[in-house]
Amino acid sequence: METKKYIKAKKRVEELKGFYIHLSVYIAVNLFLSGTQIVDGITEDKSFLEIFSDFGVYGVWIMWGIGLSIHWISVFQSKIIG
């Protein structure tokens, strides 16, 4: 009986760990990509509006964010449902 609880708890910890690693990589990579695109826009003398009207600055955040949201739902669905 204890072994089943241990295996279930270990699986849960691995799921949580996987999600938080995914979240950390998402934030780090997107900050880097957005930062390089913003710096590139500044060096090309683009205006603030021109830099942020480029879909590339925030497009990866949105697309990858959808995948991250799906991962979040798969990990935390038991807490949402009850």
Side-chain angles (χ1 to χ4, degrees):
M1 187 75 136
E2 289 296 316
T3 329
K4 288 182 181 181
K5 286 183 180 180
Y6 174 77
I7 292 171
K8 187 176 179 181
K10 185 176 179 179
K11 182 178 184 251
R12 179 71 178 149
V13 168
E14 291 298 320
E15 289 174 350
L16 290 169
K17 185 177 171 183
F19 172 75
Y20 287 115
I21 289 171
H22 187 183
L23 178 62
S24 300
V25 171
Y26 167 80
I27 292 169
V29 168
N30 282 306
L31 284 174
F32 175 76
L33 291 176
S34 294
T36 57
Q37 290 176 338
I38 291 168
V39 168
D40 186 45
I42 291 170
T43 59
E44 293 177 2
D45 290 329
K46 290 184 179 179
S47 71
F48 183 80
L49 186 60
E50 287 176 318
I51 292 170
F52 285 97
S53 66
D54 180 15
F55 183 71
V57 174
Y58 57 88
V60 177
W61 286 92
I62 293 170
M63 297 304 175
W64 193 349
I66 292 169
L68 184 65
S69 299
I70 292 168
H71 191 177
W72 180 82
I73 289 169
S74 73
V75 170
F76 293 101
Q77 72 183 353
S78 61
K79 297 288 182 186
I80 295 170
I81 295 171

